[in-house]
Amino acid sequence: DGAVVVEIAPNSAAAQADIQEYDVITAINGETITNNSELRQQLYQYQIGDQIEVTLLRNGEEMKVTTELTEIANTEQLEIIGE
């Protein structure tokens, strides 16, 4: 379960955190993400400048990255898996 990243905007918080296309976001600050809707809800709880920890799967391995939000991610660019 999670949200698959299909595009990263240049200079975005995701790009700065080395989040890559096809990574699967599974949690934000420890809160489980099972679909695009949950990802959107989690991101809207934070403001520009907030630090967030993103848990993701890349090539089957779990990783955690921290980034400072520079803008609210365009979650329309994320495909949903697990639904």
mmCIF file of all heavy atoms in Angstrom, residues 5-23 25 43 52 54 56 58 63 65-74 77-78:
data_model
loop_
_atom_site.group_PDB
_atom_site.id
_atom_site.type_symbol
_atom_site.label_atom_id
_atom_site.label_comp_id
_atom_site.label_asym_id
_atom_site.label_seq_id
_atom_site.Cartn_x
_atom_site.Cartn_y
_atom_site.Cartn_z
ATOM 1 N N VAL A 5 5.110 7.579 -6.667
ATOM 2 C CA VAL A 5 5.523 8.855 -7.246
ATOM 3 C C VAL A 5 5.772 8.640 -8.736
ATOM 4 O O VAL A 5 6.563 7.781 -9.117
ATOM 5 C CB VAL A 5 6.799 9.374 -6.558
ATOM 6 C CG1 VAL A 5 7.251 10.684 -7.186
ATOM 7 C CG2 VAL A 5 6.584 9.516 -5.061
ATOM 8 N N VAL A 6 5.093 9.412 -9.568
ATOM 9 C CA VAL A 6 5.281 9.259 -11.012
ATOM 10 C C VAL A 6 6.019 10.441 -11.637
ATOM 11 O O VAL A 6 6.466 10.347 -12.766
ATOM 12 C CB VAL A 6 3.940 9.013 -11.761
ATOM 13 C CG1 VAL A 6 3.355 7.679 -11.349
ATOM 14 C CG2 VAL A 6 2.963 10.135 -11.556
ATOM 15 N N GLU A 7 6.142 11.540 -10.895
ATOM 16 C CA GLU A 7 6.869 12.696 -11.425
ATOM 17 C C GLU A 7 7.342 13.548 -10.261
ATOM 18 O O GLU A 7 6.628 13.725 -9.281
ATOM 19 C CB GLU A 7 5.960 13.525 -12.333
ATOM 20 C CG GLU A 7 6.663 14.676 -13.005
ATOM 21 C CD GLU A 7 5.756 15.433 -13.973
ATOM 22 O OE1 GLU A 7 4.664 14.953 -14.281
ATOM 23 O OE2 GLU A 7 6.168 16.513 -14.396
ATOM 24 N N ILE A 8 8.551 14.071 -10.374
ATOM 25 C CA ILE A 8 9.119 14.956 -9.363
ATOM 26 C C ILE A 8 9.387 16.306 -10.021
ATOM 27 O O ILE A 8 10.082 16.381 -11.043
ATOM 28 C CB ILE A 8 10.444 14.393 -8.802
ATOM 29 C CG1 ILE A 8 10.228 13.053 -8.129
ATOM 30 C CG2 ILE A 8 11.092 15.386 -7.848
ATOM 31 C CD1 ILE A 8 9.448 13.102 -6.858
ATOM 32 N N ALA A 9 8.834 17.358 -9.435
ATOM 33 C CA ALA A 9 9.081 18.697 -9.960
ATOM 34 C C ALA A 9 10.496 19.138 -9.596
ATOM 35 O O ALA A 9 10.935 18.928 -8.462
ATOM 36 C CB ALA A 9 8.061 19.674 -9.388
ATOM 37 N N PRO A 10 11.211 19.726 -10.539
ATOM 38 C CA PRO A 10 12.564 20.224 -10.238
ATOM 39 C C PRO A 10 12.524 21.227 -9.093
ATOM 40 O O PRO A 10 11.585 22.018 -8.980
ATOM 41 C CB PRO A 10 12.995 20.909 -11.544
ATOM 42 C CG PRO A 10 12.102 20.343 -12.594
ATOM 43 C CD PRO A 10 10.808 19.996 -11.917
ATOM 44 N N ASN A 11 13.507 21.177 -8.217
ATOM 45 C CA ASN A 11 13.654 22.109 -7.090
ATOM 46 C C ASN A 11 12.549 21.993 -6.044
ATOM 47 O O ASN A 11 12.422 22.863 -5.202
ATOM 48 C CB ASN A 11 13.766 23.554 -7.575
ATOM 49 C CG ASN A 11 14.941 23.746 -8.509
ATOM 50 O OD1 ASN A 11 16.021 23.232 -8.265
ATOM 51 N ND2 ASN A 11 14.723 24.456 -9.596
ATOM 52 N N SER A 12 11.748 20.956 -6.117
ATOM 53 C CA SER A 12 10.700 20.755 -5.117
ATOM 54 C C SER A 12 11.293 20.144 -3.854
ATOM 55 O O SER A 12 12.433 19.670 -3.843
ATOM 56 C CB SER A 12 9.609 19.837 -5.670
ATOM 57 O OG SER A 12 10.130 18.525 -5.866
ATOM 58 N N ALA A 13 10.508 20.118 -2.781
ATOM 59 C CA ALA A 13 10.944 19.474 -1.540
ATOM 60 C C ALA A 13 11.247 18.000 -1.790
ATOM 61 O O ALA A 13 12.202 17.455 -1.249
ATOM 62 C CB ALA A 13 9.871 19.636 -0.468
ATOM 63 N N ALA A 14 10.441 17.356 -2.618
ATOM 64 C CA ALA A 14 10.666 15.944 -2.929
ATOM 65 C C ALA A 14 11.999 15.752 -3.643
ATOM 66 O O ALA A 14 12.756 14.839 -3.324
ATOM 67 C CB ALA A 14 9.520 15.397 -3.780
ATOM 68 N N ALA A 15 12.301 16.612 -4.590
ATOM 69 C CA ALA A 15 13.577 16.517 -5.310
ATOM 70 C C ALA A 15 14.745 16.744 -4.364
ATOM 71 O O ALA A 15 15.753 16.031 -4.418
ATOM 72 C CB ALA A 15 13.615 17.519 -6.463
ATOM 73 N N GLN A 16 14.621 17.712 -3.469
ATOM 74 C CA GLN A 16 15.689 18.006 -2.521
ATOM 75 C C GLN A 16 15.913 16.845 -1.554
ATOM 76 O O GLN A 16 17.018 16.652 -1.064
ATOM 77 C CB GLN A 16 15.381 19.301 -1.772
ATOM 78 C CG GLN A 16 15.439 20.512 -2.677
ATOM 79 C CD GLN A 16 14.968 21.783 -1.999
ATOM 80 O OE1 GLN A 16 14.785 21.824 -0.799
ATOM 81 N NE2 GLN A 16 14.765 22.819 -2.787
ATOM 82 N N ALA A 17 14.860 16.061 -1.287
ATOM 83 C CA ALA A 17 14.976 14.910 -0.380
ATOM 84 C C ALA A 17 15.392 13.646 -1.125
ATOM 85 O O ALA A 17 15.455 12.584 -0.542
ATOM 86 C CB ALA A 17 13.647 14.683 0.329
ATOM 87 N N ASP A 18 15.668 13.766 -2.421
ATOM 88 C CA ASP A 18 16.054 12.632 -3.268
ATOM 89 C C ASP A 18 14.941 11.594 -3.399
ATOM 90 O O ASP A 18 15.203 10.411 -3.565
ATOM 91 C CB ASP A 18 17.346 11.983 -2.781
ATOM 92 C CG ASP A 18 17.947 11.054 -3.827
ATOM 93 O OD1 ASP A 18 17.807 11.353 -5.031
ATOM 94 O OD2 ASP A 18 18.526 10.020 -3.450
ATOM 95 N N ILE A 19 13.682 12.035 -3.305
ATOM 96 C CA ILE A 19 12.571 11.148 -3.634
ATOM 97 C C ILE A 19 12.566 11.004 -5.146
ATOM 98 O O ILE A 19 12.744 11.987 -5.871
ATOM 99 C CB ILE A 19 11.239 11.713 -3.102
ATOM 100 C CG1 ILE A 19 11.286 11.753 -1.563
ATOM 101 C CG2 ILE A 19 10.056 10.893 -3.591
ATOM 102 C CD1 ILE A 19 10.111 12.441 -0.918
ATOM 103 N N GLN A 20 12.400 9.785 -5.617
ATOM 104 C CA GLN A 20 12.535 9.505 -7.040
ATOM 105 C C GLN A 20 11.241 8.946 -7.620
ATOM 106 O O GLN A 20 10.389 8.447 -6.891
ATOM 107 C CB GLN A 20 13.666 8.499 -7.253
ATOM 108 C CG GLN A 20 15.000 9.000 -6.778
ATOM 109 C CD GLN A 20 16.107 7.974 -6.921
ATOM 110 O OE1 GLN A 20 15.919 6.905 -7.509
ATOM 111 N NE2 GLN A 20 17.272 8.291 -6.401
ATOM 112 N N GLU A 21 11.140 9.044 -8.955
ATOM 113 C CA GLU A 21 10.005 8.438 -9.643
ATOM 114 C C GLU A 21 9.941 6.957 -9.294
ATOM 115 O O GLU A 21 10.981 6.297 -9.185
ATOM 116 C CB GLU A 21 10.136 8.614 -11.150
ATOM 117 C CG GLU A 21 9.946 10.048 -11.597
ATOM 118 C CD GLU A 21 10.078 10.215 -13.101
ATOM 119 O OE1 GLU A 21 10.326 9.224 -13.815
ATOM 120 O OE2 GLU A 21 9.947 11.358 -13.561
ATOM 121 N N TYR A 22 8.734 6.468 -9.089
ATOM 122 C CA TYR A 22 8.415 5.075 -8.762
ATOM 123 C C TYR A 22 8.702 4.702 -7.307
ATOM 124 O O TYR A 22 8.492 3.563 -6.920
ATOM 125 C CB TYR A 22 9.080 4.083 -9.735
ATOM 126 C CG TYR A 22 8.783 4.438 -11.166
ATOM 127 C CD1 TYR A 22 9.782 4.868 -12.018
ATOM 128 C CD2 TYR A 22 7.469 4.394 -11.643
ATOM 129 C CE1 TYR A 22 9.492 5.234 -13.321
ATOM 130 C CE2 TYR A 22 7.179 4.760 -12.948
ATOM 131 C CZ TYR A 22 8.185 5.178 -13.784
ATOM 132 O OH TYR A 22 7.898 5.546 -15.076
ATOM 133 N N ASP A 23 9.187 5.653 -6.489
ATOM 134 C CA ASP A 23 9.210 5.400 -5.051
ATOM 135 C C ASP A 23 7.767 5.267 -4.587
ATOM 136 O O ASP A 23 6.847 5.873 -5.168
ATOM 137 C CB ASP A 23 9.862 6.562 -4.297
ATOM 138 C CG ASP A 23 11.378 6.600 -4.427
ATOM 139 O OD1 ASP A 23 11.966 5.613 -4.924
ATOM 140 O OD2 ASP A 23 11.961 7.624 -4.022
ATOM 141 N N ILE A 25 5.467 6.050 -1.427
ATOM 142 C CA ILE A 25 5.373 6.737 -0.138
ATOM 143 C C ILE A 25 4.414 5.943 0.740
ATOM 144 O O ILE A 25 3.260 5.720 0.381
ATOM 145 C CB ILE A 25 4.888 8.182 -0.321
ATOM 146 C CG1 ILE A 25 5.918 8.956 -1.150
ATOM 147 C CG2 ILE A 25 4.657 8.845 1.040
ATOM 148 C CD1 ILE A 25 5.489 10.351 -1.535
ATOM 149 N N LEU A 43 -0.362 15.819 3.916
ATOM 150 C CA LEU A 43 0.401 16.990 3.482
ATOM 151 C C LEU A 43 -0.296 18.290 3.840
ATOM 152 O O LEU A 43 0.361 19.279 4.174
ATOM 153 C CB LEU A 43 0.678 16.922 1.979
ATOM 154 C CG LEU A 43 1.680 15.854 1.553
ATOM 155 C CD1 LEU A 43 1.793 15.807 0.047
ATOM 156 C CD2 LEU A 43 3.039 16.081 2.187
ATOM 157 N N ILE A 52 9.281 17.438 7.439
ATOM 158 C CA ILE A 52 8.531 16.182 7.504
ATOM 159 C C ILE A 52 9.472 15.019 7.211
ATOM 160 O O ILE A 52 10.443 15.173 6.477
ATOM 161 C CB ILE A 52 7.325 16.147 6.533
ATOM 162 C CG1 ILE A 52 7.773 16.297 5.076
ATOM 163 C CG2 ILE A 52 6.282 17.190 6.912
ATOM 164 C CD1 ILE A 52 6.676 15.999 4.068
ATOM 165 N N VAL A 54 9.552 11.414 5.497
ATOM 166 C CA VAL A 54 8.826 10.608 4.519
ATOM 167 C C VAL A 54 9.404 9.195 4.543
ATOM 168 O O VAL A 54 10.604 9.017 4.371
ATOM 169 C CB VAL A 54 8.953 11.207 3.098
ATOM 170 C CG1 VAL A 54 8.216 10.348 2.078
ATOM 171 C CG2 VAL A 54 8.464 12.649 3.068
ATOM 172 N N LEU A 56 9.456 5.676 2.648
ATOM 173 C CA LEU A 56 9.137 5.217 1.305
ATOM 174 C C LEU A 56 9.820 3.890 1.026
ATOM 175 O O LEU A 56 10.735 3.477 1.738
ATOM 176 C CB LEU A 56 9.554 6.273 0.269
ATOM 177 C CG LEU A 56 11.009 6.744 0.269
ATOM 178 C CD1 LEU A 56 11.868 5.882 -0.631
ATOM 179 C CD2 LEU A 56 11.071 8.189 -0.172
ATOM 180 N N ARG A 58 11.837 1.898 -1.979
ATOM 181 C CA ARG A 58 12.543 2.043 -3.253
ATOM 182 C C ARG A 58 13.199 0.698 -3.546
ATOM 183 O O ARG A 58 14.000 0.209 -2.760
ATOM 184 C CB ARG A 58 13.607 3.135 -3.172
ATOM 185 C CG ARG A 58 14.378 3.310 -4.481
ATOM 186 C CD ARG A 58 15.391 4.417 -4.404
ATOM 187 N NE ARG A 58 14.728 5.689 -4.177
ATOM 188 C CZ ARG A 58 15.334 6.756 -3.660
ATOM 189 N NH1 ARG A 58 16.603 6.704 -3.310
ATOM 190 N NH2 ARG A 58 14.659 7.877 -3.490
ATOM 191 N N MET A 63 13.076 3.225 3.176
ATOM 192 C CA MET A 63 13.977 4.355 3.426
ATOM 193 C C MET A 63 13.193 5.447 4.125
ATOM 194 O O MET A 63 11.978 5.550 3.956
ATOM 195 C CB MET A 63 14.507 4.928 2.102
ATOM 196 C CG MET A 63 15.259 3.989 1.232
ATOM 197 S SD MET A 63 15.720 4.784 -0.339
ATOM 198 C CE MET A 63 16.685 6.174 0.231
ATOM 199 N N VAL A 65 13.432 9.687 4.597
ATOM 200 C CA VAL A 65 14.102 10.931 4.221
ATOM 201 C C VAL A 65 13.370 12.082 4.890
ATOM 202 O O VAL A 65 12.168 12.008 5.137
ATOM 203 C CB VAL A 65 14.142 11.128 2.684
ATOM 204 C CG1 VAL A 65 14.963 10.045 2.015
ATOM 205 C CG2 VAL A 65 12.749 11.175 2.083
ATOM 206 N N THR A 66 14.111 13.112 5.211
ATOM 207 C CA THR A 66 13.524 14.296 5.824
ATOM 208 C C THR A 66 13.669 15.453 4.860
ATOM 209 O O THR A 66 14.707 15.611 4.217
ATOM 210 C CB THR A 66 14.233 14.619 7.156
ATOM 211 O OG1 THR A 66 14.105 13.491 8.026
ATOM 212 C CG2 THR A 66 13.615 15.835 7.828
ATOM 213 N N THR A 67 12.618 16.250 4.770
ATOM 214 C CA THR A 67 12.664 17.401 3.880
ATOM 215 C C THR A 67 11.877 18.547 4.496
ATOM 216 O O THR A 67 11.026 18.350 5.363
ATOM 217 C CB THR A 67 12.116 17.061 2.480
ATOM 218 O OG1 THR A 67 12.379 18.149 1.600
ATOM 219 C CG2 THR A 67 10.628 16.762 2.501
ATOM 220 N N GLU A 68 12.168 19.742 4.048
ATOM 221 C CA GLU A 68 11.417 20.929 4.440
ATOM 222 C C GLU A 68 10.454 21.246 3.313
ATOM 223 O O GLU A 68 10.864 21.366 2.150
ATOM 224 C CB GLU A 68 12.369 22.108 4.665
ATOM 225 C CG GLU A 68 11.653 23.374 5.069
ATOM 226 C CD GLU A 68 12.625 24.509 5.343
ATOM 227 O OE1 GLU A 68 13.642 24.270 6.022
ATOM 228 O OE2 GLU A 68 12.357 25.621 4.862
ATOM 229 N N LEU A 69 9.185 21.381 3.655
ATOM 230 C CA LEU A 69 8.192 21.672 2.619
ATOM 231 C C LEU A 69 8.427 23.055 2.040
ATOM 232 O O LEU A 69 8.515 24.038 2.762
ATOM 233 C CB LEU A 69 6.775 21.592 3.190
ATOM 234 C CG LEU A 69 6.279 20.205 3.546
ATOM 235 C CD1 LEU A 69 4.850 20.288 4.082
ATOM 236 C CD2 LEU A 69 6.318 19.282 2.353
ATOM 237 N N THR A 70 8.543 23.108 0.739
ATOM 238 C CA THR A 70 8.700 24.378 0.042
ATOM 239 C C THR A 70 7.412 24.761 -0.669
ATOM 240 O O THR A 70 7.219 25.897 -1.039
ATOM 241 C CB THR A 70 9.845 24.317 -0.983
ATOM 242 O OG1 THR A 70 9.599 23.232 -1.876
ATOM 243 C CG2 THR A 70 11.180 24.108 -0.291
ATOM 244 N N GLU A 71 6.557 23.774 -0.844
ATOM 245 C CA GLU A 71 5.257 23.990 -1.468
ATOM 246 C C GLU A 71 4.449 22.727 -1.214
ATOM 247 O O GLU A 71 5.003 21.690 -0.908
ATOM 248 C CB GLU A 71 5.389 24.231 -2.977
ATOM 249 C CG GLU A 71 6.017 23.062 -3.704
ATOM 250 C CD GLU A 71 6.234 23.338 -5.176
ATOM 251 O OE1 GLU A 71 5.236 23.306 -5.906
ATOM 252 O OE2 GLU A 71 7.380 23.571 -5.567
ATOM 253 N N ILE A 72 3.146 22.829 -1.328
ATOM 254 C CA ILE A 72 2.313 21.635 -1.195
ATOM 255 C C ILE A 72 2.467 20.817 -2.469
ATOM 256 O O ILE A 72 2.320 21.339 -3.573
ATOM 257 C CB ILE A 72 0.835 21.996 -0.948
ATOM 258 C CG1 ILE A 72 0.705 22.760 0.363
ATOM 259 C CG2 ILE A 72 -0.045 20.761 -0.939
ATOM 260 C CD1 ILE A 72 1.162 21.982 1.596
ATOM 261 N N ALA A 73 2.784 19.554 -2.295
ATOM 262 C CA ALA A 73 3.004 18.681 -3.443
ATOM 263 C C ALA A 73 1.740 18.570 -4.285
ATOM 264 O O ALA A 73 0.628 18.572 -3.765
ATOM 265 C CB ALA A 73 3.429 17.294 -2.973
ATOM 266 N N ASN A 74 1.929 18.470 -5.577
ATOM 267 C CA ASN A 74 0.814 18.224 -6.483
ATOM 268 C C ASN A 74 0.531 16.729 -6.451
ATOM 269 O O ASN A 74 1.122 15.964 -7.193
ATOM 270 C CB ASN A 74 1.152 18.695 -7.896
ATOM 271 C CG ASN A 74 0.017 18.452 -8.857
ATOM 272 O OD1 ASN A 74 -1.024 17.892 -8.492
ATOM 273 N ND2 ASN A 74 0.196 18.871 -10.087
ATOM 274 N N GLN A 77 -0.159 14.154 -9.326
ATOM 275 C CA GLN A 77 0.886 13.510 -10.105
ATOM 276 C C GLN A 77 1.298 12.185 -9.490
ATOM 277 O O GLN A 77 2.284 11.590 -9.891
ATOM 278 C CB GLN A 77 2.102 14.425 -10.212
ATOM 279 C CG GLN A 77 1.809 15.677 -11.002
ATOM 280 C CD GLN A 77 3.009 16.594 -11.073
ATOM 281 O OE1 GLN A 77 3.920 16.536 -10.263
ATOM 282 N NE2 GLN A 77 3.015 17.462 -12.061
ATOM 283 N N LEU A 78 0.559 11.709 -8.506
ATOM 284 C CA LEU A 78 0.874 10.443 -7.873
ATOM 285 C C LEU A 78 -0.163 9.400 -8.288
ATOM 286 O O LEU A 78 -1.349 9.669 -8.257
ATOM 287 C CB LEU A 78 0.860 10.582 -6.341
ATOM 288 C CG LEU A 78 1.847 11.572 -5.763
ATOM 289 C CD1 LEU A 78 1.631 11.686 -4.259
ATOM 290 C CD2 LEU A 78 3.269 11.140 -6.042
#
